[in-house]
Amino acid sequence: GETLSVGNPVRQGIAAYLRSAGIGAGYGYFAPAVPESYKIVFELRYADGRTDYELPRVGGAATGLRLSSLLDRIAEETYEPLRATFVKMLAYSIWQDHQDAKSIRAVVGYVELPDADAFERGQKESYHALFAYDFDFSKAKSLGR
């Protein structure tokens, strides 16, 4: 149905079925397709030249699962302004705990795990950056937020 126009009822029916059955994302119909393992890292920069790194904090397993799903959606989002807004919201939550930070850089990437043979040879996972955003929340502080 991919060659049919977006407004074609057959294509819309196929798309509705795929979404409702969960076939179009996460797992294939006959075999699981393991999704990428996305990660976000926040680099906090301070006026005195210090740099710290933070990861998002979650309160439990359910929240961790939601964060993982959100990172999947952010990494796969093709509309850049929406992706930037999602990342900014996460960065803002980090800034609330570090309001003396001059700026925050948020780097989203994925973790690539070695295959079984490479793991046995001692190879570790590697991190690949997909995109980064720089944020300055100093105006939010002056507004009392």
Side-chain angles (χ1 to χ4, degrees), residues 40-42 44 56 67 70-71 74-75 77 79-97 102-108 131-141 143 145:
I40 188 166
V41 178
F42 299 99
L44 302 138
L67 176 64
L70 177 62
L71 290 176
I74 289 172
E77 179 57 54
Y79 184 60
E80 201 281 327
L82 181 59
R83 183 175 66 201
T85 300
F86 284 143
V87 174
K88 187 173 186 175
M89 289 168 46
L90 290 171
Y92 185 77
S93 70
I94 295 295
W95 176 79
Q96 289 176 318
D97 291 337
K102 184 175 81 171
S103 65
I104 297 178
R105 170 171 273 201
V107 180
V108 177
F131 45 85
Y133 296 98
D134 291 309
F135 301 107
D136 178 359
F137 295 109
S138 60
K139 291 179 187 172
K141 188 173 187 176
L143 295 173
R145 293 184 190 163

Side-chain angles (χ1 to χ4, degrees), residues 7-133:
N8 185 296
V10 173
R11 180 175 177 159
Q12 291 176 348
I14 292 170
Y17 172 74
L18 291 174
R19 286 190 191 109
S20 65
I23 296 170
Y27 293 96
Y29 186 72
F30 293 106
V34 178
E36 298 289 352
S37 180
Y38 294 106
K39 182 177 181 179
I40 188 166
V41 178
F42 299 99
E43 180 182 84
L44 302 138
R45 298 178 188 150
Y46 297 89
D48 64 2
R50 271 184 309 132
T51 302
D52 287 329
Y53 296 91
E54 284 280 334
L55 297 173
R57 285 178 252 147
V58 296
T63 307
L65 182 59
R66 288 183 185 100
L67 176 64
S68 177
S69 295
L70 177 62
L71 290 176
D72 288 347
R73 302 237 186 237
I74 289 172
E76 295 167 6
E77 179 57 54
T78 57
Y79 184 60
E80 201 281 327
L82 181 59
R83 183 175 66 201
T85 300
F86 284 143
V87 174
K88 187 173 186 175
M89 289 168 46
L90 290 171
Y92 185 77
S93 70
I94 295 295
W95 176 79
Q96 289 176 318
D97 291 337
H98 303 276
Q99 293 188 15
D100 54 334
K102 184 175 81 171
S103 65
I104 297 178
R105 170 171 273 201
V107 180
V108 177
Y110 66 95
V111 178
E112 183 176 15
L113 300 172
D115 62 21
D117 292 334
F119 180 77
E120 286 180 358
R121 292 191 306 273
Q123 185 176 341
K124 303 289 182 195
E125 70 273 355
S126 57
Y127 181 73
H128 303 276
L130 294 173
F131 45 85
Y133 296 98

